[in-house]
Amino acid sequence: MRRAVGYGRGMNAIPVEDDHDDLFRLLVAQVKDYAIFALDPNGIVVSWNAGAEHIKGYQAHEIIGHHFSRFYPAEAIRAGWPKTELELATRDGRFEDEGWRLRKDGTRFWANVVLTALRDADGRLRGFAKITRDLTDRRRMERLEADAQQMGEFVAMLAHELRNPLAPIRSAISVARHAGADAARQAWALDVIDRQAAQLSRLVDDLLDVGRVTRGQVRLERRRVRLGEIVDTAIEAVQPLLVQRAHALAVHRDADPLLRGDPLRLVQVLTNLLSNACKYTNAGGHIELRVGRDGDVAVLTVSDDGSGISPDLLPRVFDIFTQDRRGLDRAEGGLGLGLAISKRLVEMHEGTITAHSAGSGCGSEFVVRLPALPAGSGETAGLTVMVIDDNADAAATLQALVEINGHRCVVAHEGEAGLALAREALPDVVLLDIGLPGMNGYEVARRLRSIPALDGVMVVAVTGYATEDDRQRALDAGFDVHLSKPVSYEQLVQRLPMLGPAAAGDA
């Protein structure tokens, strides 16, 4: 039985439980630091408080009756995360999570979310209570503190790495200048200076590269290339390090897929991975490189029996300025930028790179997966070149100049047909006339640049418009090179050396 307390209101006194219920409803409705709202069993919003309006931006009439997945970013919806949250709360009675959520205006905020299943006396699910806190400012401060600490560690590491080569350089200069130094000792000193200057150059290159790559200022120069060619060049680059550390490198070539990529940048990726394996594998250790194909994907795997990767570092191993803690002597050297650069370069090739390790002392494995061209595509040609010219004789002449050097050539005579053929043939170079009927060459060049699969294709203007203004306009429209008609064989090869004679093994 309820006990009525009058509070001076005589027979109209309200039961104490009703007072408490009213107070609780006022609390939920008016608190602004927390979004507190209810969902029905299907996730439809059925109530909305002032805090929800403040944090999420919706007024009650705008959101009640809508599914709560509206608060989630597109990637979370694609992953089915809202449904998963309801399922976990239903199973366990409660679910807590932190992650990005969306406001009404589309901006993101970092949220702590508690979802509680609401059941009646018979245990039937009646819906869910959801409480959301906006932790964006706290997360930002934590991120700034972590970045500041990471940057401080990086600067200290950079100073150490720069002093390492500077010390022997200064000592070698003193030896070379010494009055008693004979020719042999001076030659030795010069060799020391040369080696250490090369190490300084590599450090500076890494710093510049990571800046260019992260700002999107690196442009790929793609062509058809065998993965085996990338492997051979990278092994040659790391051979001195392999010898110095007495490592045994086992190479397994299960396939030799054909790619469309930037050979220089792909060699950089594999060289970084092999160098990394050398640095973190004890002298006399074993490194394995496997080259293969998985359907339409080329696969490179670099594994070692070295020091491995600690579990706390593994999720961050590709982050900039991230490096596992090693001994104080830091004999491995480097700035910890190679993996970050490699990841971005692989992603620019529409590929993925993953790291695996069972933990410290258990070795490491890095797997690179890159799109491969279909078997048989361009097998007999060094490069694939596309000519787009409405003059049939001019197009045929350019085709002959290209094919005489062992390259494959496809031809189109107007812009739309050229764009369709480009999507199919994936050319490495496009020789494009400006004065085309319908869509002119400037527009074709701009459209070619918008096709993701042709990222990095070299587009060359071959045109009768030959003034300096014409050249500049072509470059502004996205052309890489401007050639004036008529184009001779010598001019073509001089301006485009890659169209010289294809090596016998090119494909």
Side-chain angles (χ1 to χ4, degrees):
M1 176 179 293
R2 292 182 177 177
R3 180 173 59 86
V5 179
Y7 300 110
R9 289 176 287 180
M11 297 302 295
N12 295 321
I14 301 173
V16 66
E17 289 85 352
D18 290 348
D19 268 351
H20 290 173
D21 288 346
D22 284 347
L23 187 60
F24 180 74
R25 282 193 292 269
L26 288 173
L27 168 67
V28 171
Q30 296 182 22
V31 67
K32 290 190 176 182
D33 293 329
Y34 296 84
I36 305 173
F37 53 99
L39 310 175
D40 74 7
N42 296 315
I44 302 299
V45 178
V46 296
S47 73
W48 199 246
N49 80 328
E53 181 178 336
H54 173 71
I55 291 174
K56 296 180 180 291
Y58 293 95
Q59 295 183 14
H61 71 273
E62 295 176 306
I63 196 63
I64 289 177
H66 293 272
H67 197 269
F68 84 114
S69 60
R70 179 172 294 199
F71 310 134
Y72 291 73
E75 61 270 20
I77 294 174
R78 285 195 299 268
W81 189 239
K83 180 182 177 183
T84 299
E85 284 192 357
L86 294 182
E87 290 173 348
L88 293 173
T90 301
R91 185 192 70 187
D92 301 330
R94 180 183 183 277
F95 176 76
E96 185 171 358
D97 182 36
E98 285 195 10
W100 292 111
R101 299 295 186 268
L102 292 182
R103 305 186 202 274
K104 177 184 174 183
D105 62 6
T107 58
R108 296 189 178 207
F109 69 100
W110 188 260
N112 171 267
V113 174
V114 177
L115 189 64
T116 304
L118 303 176
R119 297 183 181 276
D120 61 19
D122 297 325
R124 290 177 300 177
L125 180 69
R126 302 297 301 277
F128 302 89
K130 191 163 190 182
I131 301 176
T132 301
R133 286 187 295 161
D134 183 352
L135 301 183
T136 307
D137 290 340
R138 191 188 79 178
R139 178 177 169 81
R140 185 181 296 115
M141 291 301 300
E142 291 173 348
R143 184 72 257 178
L144 287 173
E145 290 173 3
D147 287 348
Q149 179 180 354
Q150 201 171 50
M151 181 60 76
E153 293 174 354
F154 173 74
V155 170
M157 181 171 61
L158 174 60
H160 182 276
E161 292 300 325
L162 291 175
R163 287 192 183 101
N164 271 346
L166 285 174
I169 286 174
R170 294 188 65 178
S171 298
I173 290 173
S174 298
V175 169
R177 284 177 172 171
H178 196 278
D182 56 19
R185 192 168 294 275
Q186 287 180 336
W188 170 84
L190 290 175
D191 285 342
V192 169
I193 293 170
D194 182 61
R195 285 196 304 272
Q196 298 302 321
Q199 173 66 8
L200 272 176
S201 178
R202 283 193 294 272
L203 292 173
V204 173
D205 286 344
D206 271 357
L207 286 169
L208 293 175
D209 243 3
V210 76
R212 286 192 292 258
V213 168
T214 54
R215 290 194 301 270
Q217 294 178 339
V218 170
R219 183 168 177 269
L220 300 181
E221 303 221 352
R222 302 195 192 215
R223 67 173 177 84
R224 277 171 168 73
V225 59
R226 285 285 178 193
L227 191 54
E229 178 185 332
I230 304 299
V231 169
D232 291 340
T233 307
I235 291 175
E236 182 180 351
V238 299
Q239 193 63 37
L241 191 55
L242 291 166
V243 172
Q244 176 188 338
R245 306 275 289 176
H247 288 139
L249 173 64
V251 182
H252 306 280
R253 301 176 189 259
D254 302 327
D256 189 11
L258 190 65
L259 312 174
R260 186 175 176 278
D262 185 325
L264 180 64
R265 292 301 184 176
L266 291 176
V267 167
Q268 182 180 2
V269 168
L270 184 53
T271 301
N272 281 343
L273 295 181
L274 290 171
S275 298
N276 214 54
C278 289
K279 289 175 184 177
Y280 297 125
T281 301
N282 292 332
H286 300 83
I287 299 170
E288 185 174 306
L289 170 60
R290 186 170 293 278
V291 189
R293 181 176 189 132
D294 180 11
D296 58 356
V297 175
V299 184
L300 276 171
T301 304
V302 177
S303 55
D304 62 67
D305 56 4
S307 56
I309 306 171
S310 58
D312 62 320
L313 176 72
L314 193 59
R316 301 180 293 108
V317 73
F318 294 106
D319 292 350
I320 294 175
F321 305 146
T322 295
Q323 195 171 50
D324 208 355
R325 297 186 181 277
R326 311 287 178 173
L328 291 177
D329 61 347
R330 284 193 46 77
E332 307 87 0
L335 299 174
L337 299 177
L339 291 180
I341 293 170
S342 296
K343 182 175 188 291
R344 182 65 187 121
L345 291 175
V346 168
E347 290 173 344
M348 290 172 67
H349 282 85
E350 295 84 44
T352 62
I353 179 171
T354 53
H356 310 274
S357 177
S360 298
C362 298
S364 306
E365 179 182 83
F366 290 84
V367 181
V368 176
R369 297 172 65 85
L370 297 162
L373 293 175
S377 59
E379 294 289 334
T380 59
L383 297 177
T384 294
V385 180
M386 184 169 71
V387 174
I388 307 178
D389 197 320
D390 62 318
N391 185 312
D393 287 339
T397 301
L398 281 175
Q399 182 179 12
L401 290 178
V402 167
E403 291 180 344
I404 201 171
N405 277 338
H407 302 287
R408 174 179 177 239
C409 189
V410 294
V411 176
H413 297 297
E414 51 92 17
E416 287 290 357
L419 291 169
L421 184 58
R423 291 185 177 91
E424 176 186 338
L426 298 178
D428 304 293
V429 180
V430 178
L431 304 178
L432 175 57
D433 184 27
I434 298 292
L436 295 172
M439 185 188 303
N440 64 41
Y442 298 121
E443 179 60 24
V444 174
R446 281 188 282 266
R447 296 271 293 275
L448 285 169
R449 293 293 184 211
S450 70
I451 300 174
L454 292 176
D455 180 38
V457 66
M458 176 168 282
V459 184
V460 181
V462 182
T463 175
Y465 298 104
T467 68
E468 181 59 29
D469 287 344
D470 294 327
R471 188 189 72 83
Q472 189 58 53
R473 184 181 177 190
L475 297 179
D476 292 341
F479 286 93
D480 297 292
V481 178
H482 181 276
L483 296 178
S484 301
K485 290 182 177 181
V487 178
S488 67
Y489 171 83
E490 290 76 15
Q491 183 185 13
L492 186 68
V493 174
Q494 181 183 15
R495 295 295 303 279
L496 303 169
M498 75 283 291
L499 294 184
D506 282 354

